[in-house]
Amino acid sequence: MITIPYLTALTTYFSYGLLFAFGQFREFFRKIFDWWRGSNLQGYAPICLGLEDFYIRRLYLRIQDCFGRPICSPPDAWFDVVERVSNDNNKTLKRTTQVSRCLNLGSYNYLGFAASDEYCTPRVIESLKKYSASTCSARVDGGTTSIHMELEECVANFVGKPAAIVTGMGYVTNSAILPVLIGKGGLIISDSLNHNSIVNGARGSGATIRVFQHNTPSHLEKVLRELIAEGQPRTHRPWKKIIVIVEGIYSMEGELCQLPEIVAICKKYKVYVYLDEAHSIGAVGKTGRGVCELLGVDTADVDIMMGTFTKSFGSCGGYIAGSKELIEYLKYSCPAHLYATSISPPAAQQIISAIKVILGEDGTSRGAQKLARIRENSNFFRSELQKMGFEVLGDNDSPVMPIMIYNPAKIPAFSRECLKHNVAVVIVGFPATPLLLARARICISAAHSREDLNKALEVFSEVGDLTGIKYFPAEPQKQQVEENRVKLE
């Protein structure tokens, strides 16, 4: 639970209120001018209508230069950001031929596999020559190659499950598979801050949906007890199936799931556990096997394990791992398997090679070194930010660390000032977060050196002072403490 300082909340509400008032004022005159000019679509309902359209035109367009910045190099520790200009007050942005070499603190390149790798890249190139870039077919038609079979076996062994199924897109893994797992008469109990792919998948299932307070096992148990006692709406019959859905690392909070307590509650009430490890698989745990390994949870106690390959493995797609019966059922019923084009063979080979590096099967210790480096980098960077006075969310060992910004005027200011100092960051605001809880989301990589992190800290300290987002008093530096001790002596 984030506790917002009273003054910060007041000024943030005032800023949004001011933007909303001026936006509505401009909307009034826009309607007059549109009526005066006439329209070729008279009689049609507006295709873009409501507060969402208002938000995009009157708030988002003002700062859209802070989003969707194109790059023209691999998303390694440093990458090339294409510069853009606007001649119409940010309504449209035009790319230029100029590029800026920036420190990358926005990509999900947790283990550094997004750039060329001495073990992975040659094997990916060979698979491209052998299988081409795409199978041009769904898995059940002509889209299954020996690489896909090897990948599913490799993933199942890596996460500690009997079997696995892979899809070509991480988002679809949740949104397409949840409606297959549960339907009308079932109950989904979801963490209040679960990813949008889970939200859409749950809504598409037709099941009854209830949420529990973010990462609060006690409230989960309370919700479970009440809903099991009540049964289905109107009929009060027992639920056909109950699934509790949580994430390993919450992507906007950087927090680790309280998995041991949640699993214990689910076992007590005989309900299924669905674990989304999109941001945790490969990034945490002694051997990179995710939050189950990190928190000491037996994977046999987690019924359905989901993850993506876009973060730690430098590829694309997602997977579901579980019992052999579950995976066989999904292969005959999941739309992502039946109708979507299978994952690209070179992308599949990249995942296989990355897993082998992580496990040391490439004959080196590079995988163990990467895991140790991302853990050290994450804990060092989080600690230093907190010492400077920033409000940083999340837990130790998590490579995701949100820095709270709150005020809407500070969102673009922080992003633009960082870019001027050649540091590329991701800023997140409404509707991806609640209105008051805008933030900058920092993603740390094993590819970052200590010099890279120190540069980022220097820039953040300067920009944080400039924008006024150091909401806590900074800790005194060691040199100042020693000087004060000398004076006292």
Side-chain angles (χ1 to χ4, degrees):
M1 183 66 69
I2 303 172
T3 304
I4 310 171
Y6 178 76
L7 184 60
T8 302
L10 189 64
T11 55
T12 302
Y13 270 129
F14 177 78
S15 299
Y16 275 113
L18 204 61
L19 287 168
F20 185 81
F22 275 101
Q24 290 292 354
F25 186 70
R26 297 182 68 182
E27 282 292 289
F28 174 74
F29 285 100
R30 176 176 177 263
K31 290 177 181 177
I32 293 176
F33 288 131
D34 286 349
W35 173 81
W36 182 263
R37 292 170 186 164
S39 173
N40 294 326
L41 296 176
Q42 290 181 359
Y44 286 82
I47 196 167
C48 297
L49 184 66
L51 282 176
E52 291 83 1
D53 183 46
F54 170 82
Y55 179 84
I56 290 170
R57 283 187 288 103
R58 299 305 179 198
L59 279 79
Y60 172 77
L61 288 182
R62 291 171 176 264
I63 61 171
Q64 72 160 326
D65 60 296
C66 300
F67 301 95
R69 289 173 176 149
I71 66 172
C72 55
S73 68
D76 204 3
W78 288 78
F79 60 4
D80 296 326
V81 178
V82 179
E83 296 181 8
R84 296 177 294 176
V85 295
S86 176
N87 299 318
D88 52 8
N89 298 317
N90 255 18
K91 289 183 179 178
T92 58
L93 295 167
K94 295 182 179 179
R95 293 189 297 273
T96 68
T97 57
Q98 303 297 318
V99 298
S100 298
R101 188 71 174 168
C102 295
L103 178 60
N104 180 9
L105 293 178
S107 299
Y108 306 128
N109 183 25
Y110 294 147
L111 294 184
F113 284 117
S116 178
D117 183 83
E118 61 187 69
Y119 181 83
C120 300
T121 305
R123 287 160 178 76
V124 171
I125 293 172
E126 285 301 314
S127 69
L128 177 63
K129 293 178 180 177
K130 183 176 181 180
Y131 295 100
S132 82
S134 173
T135 62
C136 300
S137 182
R139 286 289 302 273
V140 294
D141 298 328
T144 298
T145 67
S146 58
I147 288 185
H148 293 90
M149 304 297 289
E150 182 185 356
L151 173 60
E152 289 176 339
E153 183 179 352
C154 186
V155 168
N157 292 334
F158 183 67
V159 302
K161 280 292 184 181
I165 183 174
V166 297
T167 64
M169 183 181 178
Y171 188 97
V172 169
T173 307
N174 279 328
S175 61
I177 283 180
L178 280 172
V180 177
L181 292 175
I182 192 168
K184 189 176 181 181
L187 173 65
I188 293 175
I189 302 180
S190 179
D191 188 287
S192 60
L193 295 183
N194 273 341
H195 191 263
N196 183 260
S197 60
I198 295 174
V199 174
N200 283 342
R203 288 173 177 171
S205 69
T208 300
I209 305 167
R210 295 291 184 270
V211 298
F212 66 95
Q213 291 174 7
H214 171 58
N215 220 9
T216 308
S218 59
H219 189 248
L220 167 64
E221 184 170 16
K222 180 183 177 183
V223 172
L224 260 175
R225 191 188 305 117
E226 291 176 356
L227 290 170
I228 290 173
E230 291 176 5
Q232 295 184 41
R234 293 189 298 275
T235 64
H236 301 291
R237 293 175 180 172
W239 300 100
K240 294 180 179 179
K241 190 186 303 181
I242 303 176
I243 299 178
V244 173
I245 306 178
V246 293
E247 295 185 34
I249 292 178
Y250 291 89
S251 60
M252 286 297 173
E253 316 302 314
E255 294 176 352
L256 295 169
C257 172
Q258 294 191 28
L259 192 61
E261 296 86 350
I262 289 172
V263 166
I265 291 168
C266 291
K267 289 176 71 175
K268 178 181 177 181
Y269 291 93
K270 304 295 188 292
V271 301
Y272 294 109
V273 181
Y274 184 108
L275 175 63
D276 180 340
E277 288 217 83
H279 286 267
S280 54
I281 192 67
V284 297
K286 186 177 179 180
T287 59
R289 287 182 166 91
V291 290
C292 287
E293 182 179 50
L294 180 68
L295 302 177
V297 175
D298 188 349
T299 54
D301 293 331
V302 180
D303 303 284
I304 305 146
M305 300 182 72
M306 176 270 177
T308 64
F309 304 122
T310 52
K311 280 78 177 177
S312 297
F313 305 99
S315 188
C316 62
Y319 69 85
I320 291 287
S323 64
K324 289 184 178 179
E325 294 78 13
L326 170 66
I327 300 306
E328 283 301 312
Y329 169 71
L330 292 177
K331 286 182 177 179
Y332 288 107
S333 56
C334 175
H337 186 81
L338 295 172
Y339 306 115
T341 301
S342 62
I343 188 171
S344 168
Q349 181 60 57
Q350 166 68 25
I351 302 162
I352 295 169
S353 301
I355 290 175
K356 288 183 177 179
V357 172
I358 293 170
L359 296 178
E361 294 178 8
D362 63 331
T364 70
S365 61
R366 288 195 308 122
Q369 291 170 6
K370 285 176 177 288
L371 289 166
R373 195 178 304 121
I374 190 174
R375 183 166 56 250
E376 292 169 4
N377 285 351
S378 300
N379 293 337
F380 166 75
F381 202 74
R382 183 185 304 277
S383 174
E384 292 301 311
L385 286 174
Q386 290 171 339
K387 288 177 183 177
M388 289 178 181
F390 290 102
E391 184 177 357
V392 185
L393 305 184
D395 297 317
N396 284 336
D397 290 349
S398 170
V400 181
M401 47 198 75
I403 301 174
M404 299 310 297
I405 296 177
Y406 298 119
N407 197 287
K410 296 178 181 181
I411 300 172
F414 183 80
S415 178
R416 289 164 182 164
E417 288 299 321
C418 285
L419 190 64
K420 288 179 183 177
H421 292 81
N422 297 103
V423 175
V425 298
V426 169
I427 54 169
V428 188
F430 180 83
T433 65
L435 191 67
L436 291 182
L437 304 182
R439 64 199 68 181
R441 184 177 63 179
I442 308 303
C443 293
I444 299 300
S445 171
H448 290 135
S449 66
R450 188 55 60 92
E451 291 75 17
D452 295 336
L453 299 181
N454 284 330
K455 173 184 169 54
L457 290 168
E458 290 175 8
V459 172
F460 281 4
S461 181
E462 181 181 339
V463 176
D465 289 330
L466 181 65
T467 56
I469 62 171
K470 293 183 178 179
Y471 295 105
F472 297 107
E475 291 186 10
Q477 295 181 358
K478 290 182 179 179
Q479 186 177 357
Q480 290 178 333
V481 173
E482 291 174 0
E483 287 177 359
N484 291 336
R485 285 178 181 171
V486 171
K487 287 180 182 178
L488 288 172
E489 290 173 358

